[in-house]
Structure formats: C-alpha cells, structure tokens
Amino acid sequence: MRVTKYEHSCVLVEDGDVRILIDPGELTHGFVNLTGLSAILVTHQHFDHIDLTRIVPLLERNPAAALYTDEATASILADRDIRARPARQGDRLDVGVDVVVHGAEHAVIHPEIPVIPNVGYLIGGRFFHPGDSFTVPDVPVEVLGLPTAAPWLKASEAIEFLRAVAPRIAIPIHEGLLARPEVYYGHYRRLAPAETEVRLLEPDGHIRI
C-alpha cells in the first residue's frame, strides 16, 4: 500500500491497481488532474474536504470512479446533479479493496453550531482517515491520518486520539487551516456577544481605544 498526502486532508491511497482519493477539498492542489481512480471518498461537506467546483472535472477524468460521501454531502451533490453513494457507519465498500466506514458525526465545534454527519474510512484494514472526528475504530489501525489543527480541535484532544488509536505510523493531516486564520475569526465573529466587535489587526496594525 502506498499513501500520498496532498495538502490539508487530501490523501491518495494506492493498493495494487486500486487508487482511492480521500477528501479533495478547496485547500488542496494537484488532485484535479489525477486519472485512473477507483474511488473518491468524502468524509463530510465542509469546503476543505470537498471542492464542489473541482469535483466535477475530477469525476469527468475518472468516469469509472465510485463516489462515496456521508448522507448529507450526497444530498448536497444531488442538488447539483452529481450522484454520490451514501456511506454509513458499519458499511463495507467494495472498490477493489476493502473499505470499512467508521463513525457518524463531526466533532463538536461549539454547542451552538449544529453537528453535521462525518464518516471515517479504514482502507485495506490498514490506513484510517477520520475526517473531522475523533472516531476510534474497534479494530487495530496501522497508519492513521492524524488531524492537526482545526476550530474543533485542541492539541490535547489530538494527542489522546492518537494514544487511543495507537497506530504504528501517524501521518499529520488537516494542517491547512494553520495558514487560514480567517476560518477561526469567522467563528469568533458569529458567536461573540452582541456588544462585541471582533476587529482584526494586521502586523503593525493599531487601534485607538
């Protein structure tokens, strides 16, 4: 098995002739020209995990690829006339290599932000991509895609997740938001008290108070 990491959470897993791409999102480059894919797997609907614009040319270049997503993302894609097969916890997907679906929900960002569906994929019984969750499979995991930075994640939580899964190898993923602080700022603005203004100061910027 060969695992190639693109930017952020996008990973290509190759096992013999089987080529599986996971989470081709907006923060990732280089995947749109891939060909010969057996399957495209999406963990959930957030922009950094599926690029709703580039998924179309990717599918056109890979007409034989099976597209699997969580149920909510499948519904979003159906509204755009893109057919995706829903993946649910416990499902076994036959894409040329055994893929087992683990988990059902995204990690909590904040109690006032609705929790959306999120599924993780264990490929070939070896590589596990959790998406945006701390789902611990009930089987051994050899290689783990380890979320690194997100509005829903504390370093202590990632460490405890790593310890709970206890893989032989951990590959840091989901690090692209470290260079996109505006994602965090948006949450702070939306959830701040009504009387609070969240004002961004660029380097060397100032404010008079």
Side-chain angles (χ1 to χ4, degrees), residues 107-116 187-194:
V108 174
I109 301 172
H110 185 276
E112 295 177 20
I113 298 177
V115 175
I116 62 170
H187 288 308
Y188 302 152
R189 289 189 175 105
R190 286 189 294 273
L191 298 173

Side-chain angles (χ1 to χ4, degrees), residues 23 42-50 69-70 73 106 116-119 121 130-133 152 174:
D23 279 1
V42 176
T43 60
H44 66 286
Q45 64 191 264
H46 284 160
F47 77 96
D48 53 328
H49 295 261
I50 180 169
T69 75
D70 65 283
T73 304
H106 193 285
I116 62 170
N118 178 101
V119 293
Y121 299 101
D132 285 6
S133 79
W152 48 270
H174 210 283

Side-chain angles (χ1 to χ4, degrees), residues 123-186:
I123 300 176
R126 301 181 68 190
F127 174 77
F128 182 59
H129 192 306
D132 285 6
S133 79
F134 296 122
T135 296
V136 178
D138 56 1
V139 295
V141 171
E142 182 178 351
V143 183
L144 172 68
L146 177 65
T148 299
W152 48 270
L153 183 153
K154 294 192 299 184
S156 60
E157 294 172 324
I159 292 167
E160 291 307 309
F161 176 57
L162 175 61
R163 289 175 172 177
V165 178
R168 184 173 67 85
I169 298 171
I171 300 172
I173 61 172
H174 210 283
E175 81 295 343
L177 295 182
L178 290 170
R180 295 284 295 270
E182 63 271 16
V183 174
Y184 295 80
Y185 301 154

Side-chain angles (χ1 to χ4, degrees), residues 8-209:
H8 197 53
S9 274
C10 187
V11 177
L12 176 67
V13 180
E14 300 171 277
D15 193 347
D17 295 332
V18 177
R19 290 161 53 84
I20 299 172
L21 185 69
I22 310 170
D23 279 1
E26 292 185 25
L27 301 185
T28 303
H29 300 88
F31 68 79
V32 76
N33 292 320
L34 291 174
T35 57
L37 296 178
S38 308
I40 301 166
L41 310 180
V42 176
T43 60
H44 66 286
Q45 64 191 264
H46 284 160
F47 77 96
D48 53 328
H49 295 261
I50 180 169
D51 187 324
L52 293 174
T53 300
R54 289 188 292 167
I55 193 70
V56 174
L58 180 63
L59 289 168
E60 289 173 348
R61 288 184 173 86
N62 295 274
L67 174 61
Y68 285 94
T69 75
D70 65 283
E71 291 186 278
T73 304
S75 178
I76 292 170
L77 291 172
D79 290 340
R80 295 170 172 257
D81 295 321
I82 302 171
R83 180 179 177 273
R85 306 175 193 181
R88 305 174 183 89
Q89 180 170 255
D91 285 353
R92 302 188 84 96
L93 314 180
D94 184 8
V95 295
V97 65
D98 190 42
V99 177
V100 181
V101 181
H102 291 269
E105 292 186 340
H106 193 285
V108 174
I109 301 172
H110 185 276
E112 295 177 20
I113 298 177
V115 175
I116 62 170
N118 178 101
V119 293
Y121 299 101
L122 179 61
I123 300 176
R126 301 181 68 190
F127 174 77
F128 182 59
H129 192 306
D132 285 6
S133 79
F134 296 122
T135 296
V136 178
D138 56 1
V139 295
V141 171
E142 182 178 351
V143 183
L144 172 68
L146 177 65
T148 299
W152 48 270
L153 183 153
K154 294 192 299 184
S156 60
E157 294 172 324
I159 292 167
E160 291 307 309
F161 176 57
L162 175 61
R163 289 175 172 177
V165 178
R168 184 173 67 85
I169 298 171
I171 300 172
I173 61 172
H174 210 283
E175 81 295 343
L177 295 182
L178 290 170
R180 295 284 295 270
E182 63 271 16
V183 174
Y184 295 80
Y185 301 154
H187 288 308
Y188 302 152
R189 289 189 175 105
R190 286 189 294 273
L191 298 173
E195 65 273 17
T196 301
E197 174 192 0
V198 177
R199 186 181 301 183
L200 175 63
L201 294 182
E202 299 292 347
D204 296 323
H206 64 273
I207 182 174
R208 294 187 181 275
I209 56 174

